[in-house]
Amino acid sequence: MSVLSLSPANRLIVTHGLSSFCFGLVFPYTAIYLADEPGVGTTGVALFYGAAGVANVVVALLLTGGVLRLPRVALGVLGTLLWFCGYLSMPVADSHALVVAAGVTVGCGQGGFLAAIVPLLNSLVTADERRRVFARRYAVLNATLAAGSLVAGGLTLVLPRGVIPYFFVANAVGILPLTLAILVAGRHARDADEEKGAKASGTTSGKPGGEGPPLPMAALVRLAMPAAAVQLAVYLFGFSQFESTAPLVSERLMDMGLFMVSVLLFVNVTVIASAQRWVTRALEGRPEIEGLRTAVALWTTAYAVAGATAFLPYGFRLVGLLAFAVVFALGECAYSCSFHPWLISLVPDRELTRANALANSMMGVGNFAGPSIGVALVVTGNASAVWFGLGLCCTVITVAVGLLARRRAVTVAA
């Protein structure tokens, strides 16, 4: 089956997966490459990630506040083009100023693209297809990112370090098919919107459904803040901890060695790719917020398993970490098929880009602040204290999400 024969939604997912594969080429080596550059060094590494992160959050907040208003297709195309320019400039970024410029360009591109992709993908599917489509997207992105990282690792084993700048060029070029897919998807989305609008008005023409004046900022925040708060929490104590704290604890406090970092990632991605469909089916028919509560409860269990085995002999620690990676991945599966459908249900379709930008800003804050929490726990020098501390935080989130679910049910009933 060719890419052209796929549905617009699946075509968008496939091209996003291609760009994710190409991003996987540079994902493990960006910091290493910049640190080796004479005019950049480790200070430049911090500047690049800091500039990218701040730019991402600023764009998200500008979109949320309605200061920056662009149609979702234009926003997505602009985001991918900025992303392309940022990574294409990386091989020549040999000073702190150029590194900051590249970071700002990449961050602005990511902020725009991430705000646009969810409402665009949602416009291509029916409400019944939402969970499966967003779950499929998450599984594809994880698998392709891991595959790209593995390919890059294999190439660096047989080729000199001078090949790394070409990874950045490949990453930039890999974004362009996604730009084209967004343009094509935009045309299909407009057709679908017009058809929905015609059905809603009982005529063959008319405005697309969901049009109307923009919501005031306070009203939008009131509607979307529950989702934004959940997004902040799951990135503070979930995703950022798996990416930063888990490798640190396993290597420094559990004597696992650097190989465990790759093993945890491999197990995590394998479980997501193989179990995503099963988890999505298991959660179908339940409210999306129940899926989110399941996700955080699974992460709590994963932390508890890792903490319970952290003080045992080597073999038990190894098994505990592998079980941690498996259970954490199942939680990610529950999150991926639940969060964006829940966010979509909270706001009018015309405000989805702004609401998604608000959630993305919280994701950015969580990604920045989360590692600091993990490092503060690592300073205790006790692996069990780290795992149980994170598990306690996730327990609090589970209870909070449960209260949100109860409040939502009461509101709907009323």
Side-chain angles (χ1 to χ4, degrees):
M1 181 183 294
S2 68
V3 174
L4 294 177
S5 64
L6 297 173
S7 68
N10 284 332
R11 193 180 303 145
L12 197 58
I13 291 173
V14 168
T15 52
H16 197 179
L18 172 63
S19 72
S20 179
F21 173 85
C22 294
F23 179 64
L25 297 175
V26 302
F27 182 70
Y29 296 107
T30 301
I32 295 172
Y33 169 75
L34 291 175
D36 286 347
E37 287 293 292
V40 179
T42 53
T43 301
V45 176
L47 287 173
F48 173 78
Y49 284 109
V54 170
N56 193 325
V57 172
V58 168
V59 168
L61 292 176
L62 289 175
L63 288 168
T64 303
V67 177
L68 180 61
R69 280 193 169 275
L70 286 173
R72 57 196 173 199
V73 174
L75 184 61
V77 169
L78 179 60
T80 55
L81 291 179
L82 287 172
W83 207 345
F84 166 81
C85 293
Y87 275 109
L88 193 63
S89 68
M90 289 292 286
V92 297
D94 55 1
S95 67
H96 287 167
L98 291 176
V99 164
V100 170
V104 169
T105 307
V106 169
C108 288
Q110 287 178 328
F113 169 74
L114 291 176
I117 188 65
V118 169
L120 181 57
L121 190 58
N122 178 60
S123 68
L124 299 172
V125 298
T126 65
D128 293 337
E129 296 172 320
R130 252 179 221 152
R131 279 190 169 181
R132 294 190 296 273
V133 166
F134 281 105
R136 189 183 312 135
R137 169 178 173 261
Y138 189 81
V140 167
L141 294 185
N142 273 273
T144 50
L145 179 67
S149 299
L150 290 174
V151 168
L155 290 174
T156 54
L157 288 176
V158 298
L159 297 173
R161 293 170 74 94
V163 74
I164 295 178
Y166 294 99
F167 291 164
F168 291 103
V169 176
N171 180 37
V173 173
I175 295 168
L176 296 180
L178 181 57
T179 306
L180 296 176
I182 290 173
L183 289 170
V184 174
R187 186 182 63 199
H188 287 277
R190 282 195 298 273
D191 293 342
D193 283 345
E194 289 172 2
E195 183 179 346
K196 290 176 184 176
K199 289 180 179 179
S201 62
T203 65
T204 57
S205 63
K207 288 185 178 182
E211 285 194 353
L215 288 175
M217 183 64 179
L220 177 69
V221 169
R222 187 167 59 251
L223 290 175
M225 186 50 71
V230 170
Q231 186 82 317
L232 174 62
V234 299
Y235 273 87
L236 273 177
F237 304 111
F239 290 107
S240 67
Q241 303 305 330
F242 184 86
E243 294 170 3
S244 61
T245 305
L248 195 62
V249 176
S250 65
E251 193 248 334
R252 293 194 177 182
L253 301 183
M254 299 178 70
D255 300 321
M256 285 288 108
L258 285 175
F259 79 96
M260 183 52 69
V261 177
S262 298
V263 171
L264 289 177
L265 177 61
F266 175 78
V267 171
N268 177 266
V269 171
T270 301
V271 172
I272 290 173
S274 59
Q276 182 68 77
R277 182 176 297 180
W278 173 78
V279 173
T280 303
R281 287 179 178 175
L283 292 173
E284 278 184 342
R286 299 184 182 183
E288 289 91 350
I289 199 154
E290 291 297 327
L292 292 173
R293 185 163 60 177
T294 300
V296 185
L298 286 168
W299 290 343
T300 303
T301 304
Y303 289 140
V305 169
T309 58
F311 54 87
L312 297 177
Y314 178 86
F316 290 96
R317 297 198 303 273
L318 177 62
V319 172
L321 284 174
L322 293 177
F324 159 77
V326 170
V327 178
F328 196 95
L330 293 175
E332 289 188 61
C333 292
Y335 165 88
S336 67
C337 66
S338 302
F339 178 75
H340 284 110
W342 180 50
L343 172 65
I344 291 165
S345 72
L346 295 178
V347 297
D349 182 68
R350 67 181 184 276
E351 299 294 354
L352 185 53
T353 299
R354 294 173 66 197
N356 190 46
L358 177 63
N360 286 337
S361 70
M362 295 298 100
M363 177 182 70
V365 172
N367 273 331
F368 296 144
S372 299
I373 296 171
V375 169
L377 290 171
V378 169
V379 169
T380 65
N382 188 310
S384 292
V386 178
W387 295 123
F388 287 132
L390 293 174
L392 177 62
C393 293
C394 281
T395 300
V396 173
I397 299 170
T398 305
V399 174
V401 172
L403 293 175
L404 271 176
R406 186 176 303 172
R407 180 183 176 185
R408 177 76 173 164
V410 170
T411 303
V412 171

